[in-house]
């Protein structure tokens, strides 16, 4: 006998659980369907948990959540074939009130899912949502590999592949240039080594964003995050670029790990896990239709990732909360049609989720179309610094000329102007 | 001695030994029409798959679905929409311990 729920959430990641906590707390009969054996076991991210959105649901979030380290230092590394340029940013204000925390999803997600259960939601694992059940142009439930589940509204938090929204035509198949494939390794190096190497106190961590190096020629980058005992290290690039460069993801990661600026950090470590996941990085113009009758899409499934700032978890949570609140309004009105659910999109437009994505709408297209930005400019910068730091008796006047030549050999004046205008437009217009 | 300096790349297969899998006896990755694979010049599925699930042998695509990490890349890059992708049933497949 199929049971009917007020709300069906598909996926027990941050987006889905945030929606479920929201609706369950309002006493809506909520079920979460998760395909993993335990929530989180299918999930992977870089990763940093941005606390702001989580604290809206759980005020003492940072005290009780299973987080690894608070991020007190941000580093930006530009890798070239032979070296690196690093920007290291640290501020005491950050360590007193950090925004980001490193985490491991196999630990974090089960804890977060418990919060939904504590709020009254039912979380069912080992169950795969196969497709939405549609009747008279309205989603009335979900077909799973264990039978049918019915509900007034379905919130699709089924992750980057977003199979449910695709099936009911909210978007077509993602394009290879909209998705980044990230491959990551968790390498155990030990607490003491981490804290010594990066000059960190207990529970303090760093987040490193890396461009260039082995990823050059492709739109993508790398990362390094400190966990309690392990490092999360990885690279990602657009599927279209991986295909065009015929670069196997594991080879890319291996080259990355062998880079002279990376290898010292992991040399003595022990590999604990190799993982891969898609990151929806199409940006604003790739966002699907966010709702239809009886159906809303949240988090990665809705392409809600901001490549500027590398934010995803907070977009997932914020969108989940707004979908949950919209479901509550719909429940009060007894109307789960598009007429009510369009409020979900309105809410996203009025908060950072769609405001940020709209603001930086031209960044993803620029980054994928102008490969020089991530390829030539790191090399130019490196050449300039190399020439400047080679003290060989040549007068500096000659050095300056060499530097000018180094720039112009990679980008001519017209290109330099065009590139700067394009970047300025993408960031500031 | 030399080996220490240039560590050989670790193969995906060896890395996946670290992962926990619950094997499904039915493949969740289905090639709809092998004729299309024969026509396909670049075979991007073989390149992009982070678990190196796809291999070309003689004139056929071999799919080692039990190594799959369920990312979905193969489906998206297939120029013929020839890979029917779903997730393993009933919670089977890969289970990350760190994530």
């Amino acid at each position: 006998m199929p049971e009917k729920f007020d709300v069906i959430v598909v996926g027990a990641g941050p987006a889905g659980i945030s929606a479920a906590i929201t609706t369950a707390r309002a006493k809506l009969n909520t079920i979460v369907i998760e395909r993993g054996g335990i929530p989180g076991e299918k999930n992977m991210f870089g990763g940093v948990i941005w606390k702001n959105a989580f604290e809206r649901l759980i005020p003492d979030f940072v005290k009780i959540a299973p987080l690894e380290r608070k991020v007190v230092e941000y580093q930006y590394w530009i890798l070239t074939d032979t070296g690196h340029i690093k920007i290291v940013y640290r501020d005491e204000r950050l360590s007193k009130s950090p925004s980001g925390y490193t985490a491991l999803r196999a630990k974090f997600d089960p804890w977060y899912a418990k919060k939904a259960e504590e709020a009254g939601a039912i979380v069912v694992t080992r169950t795969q949502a196969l497709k939405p059940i549609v009747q008279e142009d309205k989603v009335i439930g979900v077909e799973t590999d264990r039978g049918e589940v019915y509900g007034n509204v379905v919130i699709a938090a089924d992750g980057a592949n977003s199979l449910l929204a695709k099936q009911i035509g909210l978007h077509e198949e993602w394009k290879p240039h909209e998705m980044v494939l990230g491959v990551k390794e968790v390498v155990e190096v030990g607490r003491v080594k981490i804290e010594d190497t990066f000059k960190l106190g207990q529970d303090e961590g760093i987040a490193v964003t890396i461009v260039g190096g082995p990823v050059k020629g492709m739109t993508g980058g790398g990362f390094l995050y400190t966990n309690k005992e392990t490092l999360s290290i990885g690279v990602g690039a657009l599927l279209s670029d991986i295909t065009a460069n015929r670069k196997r993801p594991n080879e890319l990661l291996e080259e990355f790990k062998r880079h002279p600026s990376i290898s010292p950090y992991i040399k003595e470590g022990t590999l604990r896990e190799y993982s891969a996941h898609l990151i929806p990085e199409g940006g604003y113009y790739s966002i699907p239709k966010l709702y239809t009758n009886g159906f809303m899409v949240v988090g990665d499934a809705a392409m809600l990732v901001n490549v500027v700032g590398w934010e995803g978890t907070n977009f997932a949570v914020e969108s989940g909360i707004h979908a949950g609140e919209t479901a509550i309004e719909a429940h009060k009105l007894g109307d789960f049609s598009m007429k009510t659910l369009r409020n979900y999109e309105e809410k996203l437009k009025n908060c950072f989720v769609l405001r940020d994505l709209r603001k930086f709408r031209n960044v993803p297209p620029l980054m994928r179309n102008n490969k020089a930005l991530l390829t030539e400019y790191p090399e130019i910068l490196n050449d300039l610094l190399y020439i400047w730091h080679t003290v060989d008796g040549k007068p500096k006047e000659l050095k300056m000329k060499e530097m000018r030549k180094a720039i112009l050999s990679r980008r001519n004046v017209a290109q330099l102007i065009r590139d700067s205008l394009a970047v300025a437009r993408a960031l500031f217009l | 001695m030399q080996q220490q300096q240039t560590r050989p790349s670790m193969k995906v297969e060896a890395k996946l030994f670290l992962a926990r899998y619950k094997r499904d006896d039915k493949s969740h990755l289905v090639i709809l029409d092998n004729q299309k694979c024969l026509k396909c010049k670049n075979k991007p599925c073989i390149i992009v798959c982070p678990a190196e699930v796809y291999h070309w042998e003689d004139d056929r695509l071999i799919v080692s679905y039990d190594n799959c990490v369920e990312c979905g890349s193969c489906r998206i890059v297939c120029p013929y929409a020839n890979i029917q992708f779903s997730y393993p049933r009933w919670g089977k497949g890969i289970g990350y311990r760190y994530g």
Side-chain angles (χ1 to χ4, degrees):
Chain A
M1 217 8 228
E3 200 179 337
K4 194 177 168 185
F5 292 87
D6 294 324
V7 182
I8 302 171
V9 177
V10 178
I17 292 300
S18 301
I21 291 175
T22 306
T23 57
R25 281 183 185 169
K27 303 278 177 266
L28 268 62
N29 196 6
T30 304
I31 185 171
V32 182
I33 299 168
E34 162 60 39
R35 68 186 182 91
I38 31 171
E41 78 167 9
K42 300 288 187 184
N43 302 347
M44 182 276 251
F45 78 152
V48 173
I49 294 275
W50 302 102
K51 73 171 180 188
N52 64 307
F54 286 96
E55 281 183 335
R56 290 183 54 195
L57 293 175
I58 302 169
D60 54 350
F61 176 75
V62 299
K63 265 200 211 125
I64 58 174
L67 301 163
E68 294 291 307
R69 289 170 182 272
K70 60 176 177 182
V71 181
V72 299
E73 184 174 298
Y74 291 86
Q75 297 196 8
Y76 300 87
W77 297 0
I78 301 166
L79 300 186
T80 64
D81 288 342
T82 45
H84 65 243
I85 299 155
K86 291 183 180 179
I87 298 168
V88 179
Y89 176 69
R90 195 191 271 243
D91 188 314
E92 268 181 17
R93 288 174 297 178
L94 265 185
S95 25
K96 282 197 190 108
S97 171
S99 299
Y101 289 78
T102 57
L104 296 164
R105 297 290 294 279
K107 265 200 268 177
F108 180 83
D109 288 19
W111 171 83
Y112 196 43
K114 267 263 155 43
K115 294 289 150 197
E117 286 180 326
E118 285 168 15
I122 299 170
V123 179
V124 179
T125 56
R126 287 171 222 278
T127 305
Q128 183 187 168
L130 299 170
K131 62 176 178 214
I133 303 168
V134 182
Q135 200 177 73
E136 290 164 10
D137 205 27
K138 182 186 177 311
V139 176
I140 57 158
V142 181
E143 189 189 319
T144 78
D145 54 1
R146 292 179 191 276
E148 293 174 341
V149 189
Y150 292 91
N152 286 325
V153 63
V154 173
I155 298 176
D158 54 337
N161 278 299
S162 192
L163 300 179
L164 293 188
K166 193 179 75 175
Q167 273 159 341
I168 52 166
L170 293 193
H171 62 86
E172 295 187 358
E173 185 59 273
W174 303 130
K175 308 282 182 296
H177 66 253
E178 292 173 325
M179 304 303 269
V180 162
L181 174 65
V183 280
K184 162 174 144 177
E185 284 183 7
V186 175
V187 181
E188 185 167 340
V189 294
R191 178 187 285 271
V192 175
K193 174 110 191 277
I194 289 172
E195 288 166 8
D196 282 356
T197 307
F198 298 105
K199 309 282 175 283
L200 297 167
Q202 213 190 359
D203 300 327
E204 288 183 342
I206 66 163
V208 187
T209 304
I210 304 163
V211 299
V215 198
K216 74 176 178 193
M218 298 191 257
T219 300
F223 58 81
L224 189 159
Y225 299 110
T226 53
N227 305 311
K228 282 201 174 92
E229 304 279 351
T230 57
L231 299 176
S232 290
I233 183 163
V235 277
L238 290 174
L239 285 177
S240 49
D241 288 342
I242 293 173
T243 306
N245 288 274
R246 300 195 75 74
K247 193 76 152 182
R248 289 195 167 206
N250 183 50
E251 280 168 31
L252 187 64
L253 181 56
E254 286 296 318
E255 276 177 38
F256 186 70
K257 284 163 55 195
R258 271 200 304 270
H259 191 281
S261 304
I262 304 275
S263 64
Y265 296 104
I266 48 170
K267 205 169 55 200
E268 280 147 40
T270 310
L271 177 63
R272 290 294 177 209
E273 186 166 87
Y274 169 81
S275 55
H277 207 282
L278 286 175
I279 315 165
E281 294 199 2
Y284 188 76
Y285 293 117
S286 300
I287 296 173
K289 194 161 176 290
L290 292 165
Y291 61 92
T292 183
N293 295 319
F295 190 89
M296 290 178 274
V297 200
V298 297
D300 272 9
M303 241 311 146
L304 302 177
V305 169
N306 186 14
V307 290
V308 183
W310 287 38
E311 294 171 42
T313 46
N314 51 339
F315 281 64
V317 172
E318 190 79 10
S319 64
I321 293 173
H322 287 309
E325 285 172 351
T326 307
I328 295 166
E329 291 165 18
H331 183 78
K332 278 184 193 145
L333 294 168
D335 175 18
F336 297 89
S337 72
M338 277 160 60
K339 216 177 95 206
T340 311
L341 299 191
R342 68 185 290 276
N343 291 341
Y344 167 53
E345 187 169 324
E346 287 308 310
K347 290 179 208 289
L348 291 188
K349 278 183 185 161
N350 291 324
C351 71
F352 69 86
V353 174
L354 284 184
R355 284 179 72 169
D356 286 1
L357 284 165
R358 201 181 126 70
K359 172 79 191 154
F360 298 121
R361 64 195 178 279
N362 290 318
V363 173
L366 175 66
M367 298 314 266
R368 68 175 175 252
N369 294 327
N370 189 340
K371 302 290 183 211
L373 295 177
L374 290 175
T375 303
E376 299 299 336
Y377 287 92
E379 294 293 341
I380 289 175
L381 203 54
N382 185 50
D383 287 349
L384 298 185
L385 288 165
Y386 177 74
I387 294 167
W388 189 253
H389 289 98
T390 314
V391 179
D392 53 5
K394 272 189 207 155
K396 286 287 181 279
E397 199 188 328
L398 277 182
K399 293 266 171 200
M400 303 289 272
K401 271 190 191 144
E402 270 180 50
M403 287 163 87
R404 207 181 64 192
K405 240 171 65 190
I407 297 173
L408 295 175
S409 70
R410 290 186 184 271
R411 291 306 262 173
N412 64 38
V413 176
Q415 287 170 324
L416 289 169
I417 294 170
R418 232 181 300 139
D419 292 344
S420 2
L421 285 177
V423 170
R425 204 173 48 219
L427 289 179
F428 303 116
L429 271 196
Chain B
M1 289 261 285
Q2 206 63 66
Q3 256 182 341
Q4 279 259 295
Q5 281 189 321
T6 53
R7 276 210 293 191
S9 295
M10 199 170 164
K11 292 251 181 345
V12 163
E13 259 186 334
K15 292 183 181 183
L16 291 177
F17 266 122
L18 297 165
R20 184 180 54 191
Y21 282 98
K22 277 168 273 173
R23 196 174 181 278
D24 189 353
D25 48 22
K26 183 175 155 241
S27 175
H28 59 288
L29 306 168
V30 179
I31 304 302
L32 297 172
D33 176 4
N34 194 55
Q35 289 304 311
K36 286 184 177 153
C37 300
L38 275 169
K39 269 199 312 199
C40 182
K41 227 171 59 193
N42 292 323
K43 300 187 179 35
C45 57
I46 298 177
I47 298 296
V48 300
C49 176
E52 299 180 8
V53 160
Y54 298 93
H55 294 272
W56 189 254
E57 265 180 46
D58 301 323
D59 53 0
R60 205 160 78 82
L61 196 62
I62 307 290
V63 185
S64 316
Y65 71 91
D66 36 1
N67 280 340
C68 177
V69 297
E70 301 158 31
C71 71
S73 301
C74 56
R75 184 191 83 250
I76 295 169
V77 298
C78 178
Y80 297 96
N82 197 28
I83 300 174
Q84 193 185 74
F85 174 93
S86 62
Y87 299 113
R89 302 171 293 179
W90 313 316
K92 295 187 180 199
I94 195 160
Y96 289 132
R97 272 182 279 236
Y98 292 85

